[in-house]
Amino acid sequence: MTTIYIIRHGETDWNAAGRLQGRVDIPLNNRGIGQAKECRDYLTQFDWDVVISSPLKRARQTAEIINEALQLPLVLMEEFQEKFFGDAEGMTSEERKVIFPNRSYTNQENSTDFHNRLLAGLTRINEKFAGKRVVLVAHGAVIHELFDLLSEEALELHTPLLNACMNHIQYEQDKWVIKDFNIISHLSEFAK
């Protein structure tokens, strides 16, 4: 059975400021680097076969830090880039509420295209790495959308995904099954 641990990238300055990043290629900040290191240290307890990442800098940096210890093939997959939020990218939550009160951002990626892109990525992983254990570093909207698409019942998934959280899915009996969501126990700032 194929197992995927989906990790949200570490924090960036735009995350800290509440700015919508989308496809804007923002690097990790110092806190994000520390979060990626804590993911790395936690993941060394288990056996993995491959690390996959969105090509955007914040995800790729997180994956590279994790892979310092794992020393596995690192594959960049365009399918797991963050959603393109169009004209809302770079805006704070307050700015978006004023300009786009209904959250219909002009020039953003079409929802159907976003769904299809993510499902194609999962299919590609399951075909290329069937039966393997995969670390996948992606983005908040990507993870939320994947879990919305995979859930068979209404799940309480609309809580904010914290930076460097871990999420776990497995391919069982010809379908993806959600095992864990928004796990943060490996992060020292929440271990108290």
Side-chain angles (χ1 to χ4, degrees):
M1 108 186 80
T2 308
T3 298
I4 305 177
Y5 268 66
I6 309 171
I7 300 167
R8 185 178 181 208
H9 61 79
E11 185 183 83
T12 69
D13 287 343
W14 277 25
N15 287 133
R19 293 193 177 281
L20 187 59
Q21 292 173 107
R23 294 280 178 86
V24 181
D25 211 5
I26 306 295
L28 297 178
N29 62 19
N30 287 335
R31 184 177 180 197
I33 291 168
Q35 291 167 334
K37 288 178 179 178
E38 289 186 316
C39 288
R40 174 196 66 200
D41 296 345
Y42 175 80
L43 291 169
T44 58
Q45 301 174 65
F46 309 99
D47 291 325
W48 304 99
D49 296 297
V50 65
V51 177
I52 297 172
S53 177
S54 155
L56 294 176
K57 191 177 296 180
R58 58 196 183 269
R60 192 178 70 246
Q61 283 182 290
T62 303
E64 288 168 349
I65 290 168
I66 289 168
N67 207 29
E68 289 171 355
L70 302 182
Q71 294 294 301
L72 295 169
L74 175 58
V75 178
L76 300 180
M77 288 183 64
E78 301 282 333
E79 292 94 327
F80 297 106
Q81 285 189 82
E82 181 59 291
K83 181 176 181 174
F84 178 57
F85 290 103
D87 297 340
E89 291 191 358
M91 293 182 180
T92 64
S93 177
E94 295 77 23
E95 291 168 336
R96 294 191 310 269
K97 285 178 188 173
V98 170
I99 297 170
F100 303 108
N102 62 358
R103 296 187 63 173
S104 182
Y105 309 140
T106 52
N107 300 313
Q108 74 176 327
E109 183 175 7
N110 174 286
S111 293
T112 301
D113 292 342
F114 186 44
H115 297 173
N116 291 340
R117 170 165 66 85
L118 297 178
L119 292 175
L122 281 183
T123 299
R124 185 172 159 208
I125 289 174
N126 203 35
E127 289 172 352
K128 188 167 183 175
F129 303 104
K132 303 291 185 186
R133 294 180 52 83
V134 176
V135 173
L136 169 61
V137 182
H139 306 271
V142 166
I143 297 167
H144 267 298
E145 194 64 33
L146 279 173
F147 278 60
D148 281 347
L149 292 168
L150 299 179
S151 62
E152 294 182 352
E153 54 191 58
L155 298 176
E156 293 299 319
L157 299 179
H158 292 285
T159 57
L161 281 168
L162 298 175
N163 287 105
C165 71
M166 294 189 186
N167 308 273
H168 174 199
I169 61 175
Q170 285 183 182
Y171 196 71
E172 301 174 357
Q173 300 175 343
D174 299 324
K175 66 179 181 177
W176 290 102
V177 177
I178 298 169
K179 297 292 187 178
D180 291 301
F181 181 75
N182 207 18
I183 303 303
I184 54 171
S185 56
H186 59 287
L187 298 173
S188 59
E189 63 189 291
F190 301 106
K192 297 173 184 170

